[in-house]
Amino acid sequence: MGRRQDTVPAQDDRGPEGLSRRAVLGIAGGGLAAAGLAGAAGFGAGRVTTPEPSLVAERRTYPFTGAHQAGIVTPAQDRMYLAAFDLTTTSREEVIGLLRTWTTMAARLTQGLSAGPYGFAGGPYDAPPDDTGEAADLPVAGLTITVGFGRSLFVGADGSTDRFGLAGRLPAALVALPHFSGDDLDPARSEGDLLVQACTDDAQVAVHAIRNLSRAAFGTARIRWTQLGYGRTSSTSTAQTTPRNLFGFKDGTANLKAEETDALDEHVWVQPQDAAETTGTDSTWMVGGSYVAGRRIRMTIETWDRTSLREQEAVIGRDKAEGAPLSGGTEHSEPDFSLAGRGGIPLIDPSSHVRLAHPSSHGGARMLRRGYTFTDGNDALGRLDAGLYFLAYVRDPRTGFIPVQTALANDDLLSEYLVHTGSVLAAVPPGVPDGALAADGSLLDPSVHLGAGLFS
Amino acid sequence: MVPARPALARPADPRTSRPGRGLAALGLAGLLGATGCVANEPDGAAALSVDSSATACTVSSPEAPSGTITFSVTNTGSEVTEFYLLADDRLRVVSEVENIGPGLTRDLVVQVPAGTYWTACKPGMVGEGIQSEFTVTDSGEAVGATGAVAEQLAEAEASYVAYVKDQVSSLVAGTQAFADAYASGDDDTARSLYAATRVHWERVEPVAESFGDLDPLLDAREADLADGEEWSGWHYVEKDLWPPAAEANGGVEYHALTSDERTAAAADLVAYTDRLSEAVTDESFTFAAFQISNGAKELLDEVATGKITGEEEIWSHTDLWDVAANVDGASVALGVLREVATARDPELVAELDARFEALGALLAQHGSYEEGFTPYDELSTAEVTDLAAAVDAVGEPLSRLTATITSAA
């Protein structure tokens, strides 16, 4: 039985199997005792915090509600579908309405429910189904949906147009990113008013989520660009192994991990004192949130593949086999940038990626990387349009991202093999508080939804 | 420059192209070997492991058949180590791999004729190392003669340095004429000299890149610059000579440089080119064999990533001149290394010759230095695709040239 068939009909309180909604909720809320209902794990919208160990991994769910949005420190899933939306409405109320709808839909989808109450094969026979159905028989696969706000939601490119009365709420940290050396950005793959990150271990489940959210947005917002990522390039938990990127190297070894709670407060989550900054705008609504920087980084993999192993390792600063720094040790050994080889030349090149990206090169700044490998077909010359969709969550991009990217763009040996073709920066508000949603994802209080603080 | 090359003051990769540092400090032998091939050679060649600890240098076998031998060297000590294959006199270095950090493994792949040798690990990179005798038995496989290679490489390097000096000398003269025409407002003359002068630059660009800051100062494209960085060099002037319409300029109207700005831009161009000339005519200037072969590969990379896409000469559309010049430079590099490469891998050289010829013939369909080349924006998609395929056809085997050179011990 597919998880979507567990869907709860709203009108008659009867599920397709004749179970009453309350009965379903009772079982799910009671800790998933019934294996057959395992697909509904986390049904209680945030109250089930730990998947049952007996559940197969792909049925894993993560709570939608909480102090922070899911999909940030959540152990990086294998697939990502990222979508940026532009608002087509000029009505502030409609924007809020969309966020309410999305909150409910995201809560449902992440807990294994259909997008709408009828599901993909139910409801009025003369109406289109309220769920598109392609994920109906698939496990939820750890789906998380994370929503952020782009700078253009607050102010126009001219810095003054204020479509929704939000200019006074623009966080100082949500800057317009500068042009970095070598940028070749496609505006059609950059920016956006709203950013939605759907991550899961099954690409079709992620696409299903974005598809249904975009369907709900027609008339209010339209997709500006989307990006499918098919392989995680970072580990965000100590329980995960470090994956390899398309260059064949382990990437993100030194990433911030979910287990480093103090470091997350220092480097990822917006703190109360950040909002107290005297910038003339009120950004207290961002406390508990984070900022996400996204960069579509095309790799010139054909020339990389013609590069000697000597140069590849020198460029990265790690050995290709194990990911150990060239100064020695194993993957997680701290690089020793002063250790010199023959002729007194450092074993790790000062312009290598590992050296320039290292926190010690940036006053200790760290980021939580959550990137994905992508391949979007090929270009007209028969080369793969492939690379890394870089995603990093930081507490303040002005200190946590821009200086790092500036240094990498200017000096990193690796940048010879990279072209940045898309860019986005978004403010990711805190999560919807636990207990704010009914079990079917509906809002218990219409003023409590994703991003509500921004509009209060 | 390739797209996305970092703009200012980016140091060259010391492993690929920095001259001056290389041979004097490291010794030629230090750069030979360590070619990074995998151990499982297809023809049943020997694969040995070496455990280099603080006190021992344990080779998995004291002998191996002649031919390609792979030593997979693991540093189990706590200091940086090196591994050498020494000749019978325990002095001459047949091949070596250096800079192995603690815990790391690196391969040494080397062609070895039958004879008596010595292996040596050098933990801490000091002393004579921990040596053991090593016997290479006669497998019957032909292994290239040794001894003459070092002389042949020295000849190749001298020959290539002479080529570089000749090209830079032409570049200096051409740049002066171009700068004079541009500064005086004679745009037609400047435009007619632009691509033909840059040919001398493009032929030896990896050498210019090896001097770190000169390449971005002379050849940065606008997109290479970070916000607030100053722009100088050929493409700064190119834009002024072929001013873009607003829609091709990010929606912003292009403002022609003032007379003073022109004078300064022309003077910069001349001054930076003079600096390049000083650098390559300095008696300490050398360009090692592995740098020549890597440089050839880089020239084809440049073509593949920047020129064949029309990004290099975005306003003048003279990209095909650059392509032809880059290919010239790579072809010359192969030429000076031909003798050594042929002795080691005649099939590779034959393949490269055939593919260079095909690429040259394709380019000739679009013009010549004398007659001029078709502007990039007048090429059809099919023509660009064909050129790109011919470029990739050269680039792939060319990427194997360095290992061929460095394994010819």
Side-chain angles (χ1 to χ4, degrees):
Chain A
M1 183 171 91
R3 70 192 176 94
R4 304 289 154 173
Q5 288 161 17
D6 298 334
T7 297
V8 179
Q11 290 186 324
D12 63 0
D13 259 15
R14 305 292 293 181
E17 312 304 320
L19 284 174
S20 81
R21 168 168 132 169
R22 282 180 188 82
V24 173
L25 295 185
I27 294 167
L32 313 173
L37 288 168
F43 204 20
R47 282 182 282 274
V48 178
T49 55
T50 312
E52 282 276 321
S54 63
L55 297 179
V56 293
E58 55 190 16
R59 292 199 172 167
R60 180 189 301 128
T61 61
Y62 294 107
F64 178 72
T65 57
H68 313 295
Q69 288 196 58
I72 303 174
V73 299
T74 308
Q77 300 95 326
D78 290 337
R79 311 279 183 261
M80 171 201 74
Y81 197 37
L82 189 66
F85 291 79
D86 278 342
L87 290 160
T88 52
T89 181
T90 54
S91 157
R92 179 184 167 108
E93 281 313 306
E94 285 186 10
V95 177
I96 296 170
L98 177 64
L99 290 170
R100 287 185 180 128
T101 303
W102 276 6
T103 300
T104 294
M105 193 177 282
R108 292 179 60 88
L109 292 170
T110 56
Q111 304 314 308
L113 300 179
S114 57
Y118 289 118
F120 77 103
Y125 209 43
D126 289 318
D130 62 15
D131 182 290
T132 55
E134 72 272 29
D137 302 320
L138 301 174
V140 71
L143 175 68
T144 57
I145 294 171
T146 315
V147 176
F149 302 135
R151 183 179 167 89
S152 56
L153 176 68
F154 301 84
V155 290
D158 57 6
S160 61
T161 306
D162 183 4
R163 288 178 290 168
F164 305 106
L166 295 172
R169 296 292 186 92
L170 173 68
L174 191 59
V175 293
L177 291 176
H179 175 92
F180 298 105
S181 172
D183 274 3
D184 186 16
L185 302 181
D186 178 356
R189 282 174 161 152
S190 299
E191 308 304 337
D193 295 337
L194 305 172
L195 185 70
V196 183
Q197 170 199 290
C199 291
T200 155
D201 293 330
D202 184 325
Q204 184 146 317
V205 173
V207 171
H208 172 259
I210 295 296
R211 176 178 172 187
N212 282 275
L213 291 173
S214 98
R215 190 180 173 203
F218 284 117
T220 307
R222 65 158 174 254
I223 287 178
R224 179 180 173 88
W225 52 265
T226 66
Q227 180 71 54
L228 189 63
Y230 65 83
R232 69 178 169 90
T233 62
S234 308
S235 51
T236 55
S237 166
T238 53
Q240 292 182 296
T241 57
T242 309
R244 290 180 192 271
N245 61 24
L246 287 186
F247 286 143
F249 277 79
K250 291 190 175 182
D251 201 8
T253 292
N255 203 21
L256 268 170
K257 303 289 197 296
E259 292 80 1
E260 301 176 72
T261 49
D262 288 349
L264 293 175
D265 282 344
E266 185 181 348
H267 299 288
V268 175
W269 305 127
V270 175
Q271 301 296 313
Q273 61 265 34
D274 301 340
E277 225 181 323
T278 54
T279 58
T281 58
D282 173 12
S283 60
T284 49
W285 61 274
M286 269 298 286
V287 173
S290 186
Y291 294 90
V292 63
R295 306 282 291 181
R296 186 179 186 276
I297 305 175
R298 182 174 175 186
M299 297 170 164
T300 53
I301 54 180
E302 288 81 7
T303 49
W304 174 264
D305 292 344
R306 290 172 198 148
T307 301
S308 66
L309 181 60
R310 177 192 295 272
E311 181 168 354
Q312 290 186 8
E313 290 194 346
V315 161
I316 301 289
R318 293 183 179 276
D319 92 313
K320 198 166 186 178
E322 303 296 334
L326 291 182
S327 53
T330 56
E331 182 195 342
H332 292 284
S333 300
E334 193 58 24
D336 179 352
F337 299 118
S338 63
L339 186 63
R342 193 182 296 178
I345 297 166
L347 291 182
I348 299 177
D349 192 298
S351 294
S352 64
H353 185 67
V354 72
R355 177 74 180 91
L356 286 172
H358 197 267
S360 65
S361 300
H362 305 284
R366 297 177 69 188
M367 51 179 88
L368 186 141
R369 294 177 51 180
R370 218 174 190 289
Y372 288 85
T373 288
F374 71 85
T375 304
D376 293 342
N378 54 278
D379 65 18
L381 302 182
R383 288 136 188 201
L384 293 182
D385 183 3
L388 167 70
Y389 200 94
F390 172 95
L391 278 175
Y393 284 84
V394 293
R395 177 174 162 186
D396 186 335
R398 292 168 300 176
T399 52
F401 173 71
I402 293 172
V404 181
Q405 178 52 28
T406 300
L408 293 178
N410 286 342
D411 297 322
D412 186 358
L413 295 170
L414 189 57
S415 59
E416 183 166 339
Y417 302 94
L418 306 174
V419 187
H420 288 234
T421 56
S423 177
V424 67
L425 182 68
V428 177
V432 176
D434 284 333
L437 303 179
D440 66 351
S442 58
L443 309 186
L444 295 175
D445 174 347
S447 70
V448 181
H449 53 82
L450 267 178
L454 172 58
F455 296 89
S456 65
Chain B
M1 290 185 71
V2 296
R5 178 174 297 291
L8 296 179
R10 173 179 160 279
D13 180 355
R15 321 268 160 174
T16 55
S17 49
R18 183 175 299 167
R21 164 199 274 187
L23 298 189
L26 303 186
L28 180 60
L31 301 158
L32 305 179
T35 52
C37 297
V38 291
N40 52 343
E41 289 280 324
D43 51 4
L48 305 174
S49 63
V50 180
D51 180 338
S52 172
S53 70
T55 54
C57 182
T58 310
V59 182
S60 59
S61 168
E63 62 171 52
S66 61
T68 302
I69 302 178
T70 299
F71 295 94
S72 196
V73 186
T74 300
N75 181 0
T76 57
S78 56
E79 293 184 285
V80 180
T81 194
E82 301 169 337
F83 175 76
Y84 294 79
L85 184 67
L86 301 172
D88 196 18
D89 61 6
R90 300 174 72 166
L91 293 173
R92 186 173 74 82
V93 176
V94 176
S95 197
E96 66 177 311
V97 56
E98 82 284 18
N99 290 347
I100 310 170
L104 302 190
T105 298
R106 197 162 289 161
D107 288 352
L108 173 63
V109 182
V110 61
Q111 284 278 306
V112 196
T116 301
Y117 298 84
W118 290 79
T119 55
C121 298
K122 205 184 276 189
M125 303 180 291
V126 292
E128 295 182 344
I130 305 161
Q131 302 190 359
S132 312
E133 195 172 301
F134 185 77
T135 304
V136 176
T137 57
D138 190 352
S139 67
E141 185 188 335
V143 178
T146 61
V149 172
E151 279 170 36
Q152 291 172 337
L153 290 177
E155 263 175 48
E157 289 162 14
S159 172
Y160 190 74
V161 166
Y163 172 70
V164 170
K165 286 178 179 171
D166 180 54
Q167 289 302 315
V168 172
S169 161
S170 299
L171 178 66
V172 167
T175 303
Q176 188 66 59
F178 171 81
D180 289 346
Y182 173 66
S184 70
D186 184 356
D187 286 8
D188 284 342
T189 301
R191 279 191 286 261
S192 73
L193 294 175
Y194 175 82
T197 305
R198 282 179 51 76
V199 162
H200 303 294
W201 163 269
E202 293 290 347
R203 281 176 178 154
V204 297
E205 189 173 3
V207 175
E209 281 185 18
S210 72
F211 296 114
D213 61 333
L214 277 178
D215 182 45
L217 288 171
L218 276 167
D219 203 31
R221 303 170 316 138
E222 192 169 24
D224 297 328
L225 305 173
D227 270 358
E229 268 182 320
E230 269 195 47
W231 192 16
S232 64
W234 284 101
H235 298 299
Y236 179 56
V237 175
E238 179 205 358
K239 187 175 184 179
D240 200 46
L241 285 171
W242 285 272
E247 60 264 29
N249 193 43
V252 184
E253 191 189 345
Y254 178 75
H255 295 288
L257 299 188
T258 65
S259 178
D260 284 352
E261 286 169 332
R262 277 189 169 226
T263 304
D268 281 349
L269 203 52
V270 170
Y272 297 141
T273 307
D274 284 345
R275 270 175 54 191
L276 176 64
S277 175
E278 284 163 25
V280 301
T281 52
D282 190 292
E283 61 183 25
S284 70
F285 171 68
T286 59
F287 216 64
F290 79 99
Q291 293 176 302
I292 298 170
S293 54
N294 276 340
K297 177 227 168 230
E298 285 167 24
L299 282 168
L300 266 292
D301 285 353
E302 293 265 342
V303 174
T305 55
K307 276 116 188 184
I308 211 67
T309 56
E311 291 167 88
E312 179 80 2
E313 308 287 359
I314 197 165
W315 294 291
S316 69
H317 303 301
T318 54
D319 301 88
L320 283 194
W321 293 75
D322 299 351
V323 172
N326 286 160
V327 172
D328 278 353
S331 184
V332 166
L334 174 63
V336 303
L337 295 168
R338 173 177 302 276
E339 206 174 350
V340 178
T342 303
R344 173 76 177 87
D345 191 346
E347 287 169 17
L348 174 65
V349 176
E351 183 181 15
L352 281 167
D353 283 343
R355 291 186 175 182
F356 265 118
E357 191 181 334
L359 175 56
L362 196 55
L363 272 171
Q365 293 177 15
H366 301 290
S368 65
Y369 295 126
E370 293 73 31
E371 304 291 320
F373 286 95
T374 309
Y376 184 85
D377 57 346
E378 292 175 18
L379 294 172
S380 71
T381 306
E383 287 169 333
V384 171
T385 309
D386 285 349
L387 278 166
V391 167
D392 286 339
V394 176
E396 192 62 35
L398 196 56
S399 70
R400 304 202 302 269
L401 183 60
T402 297
T404 303
I405 297 297
T406 57
S407 67

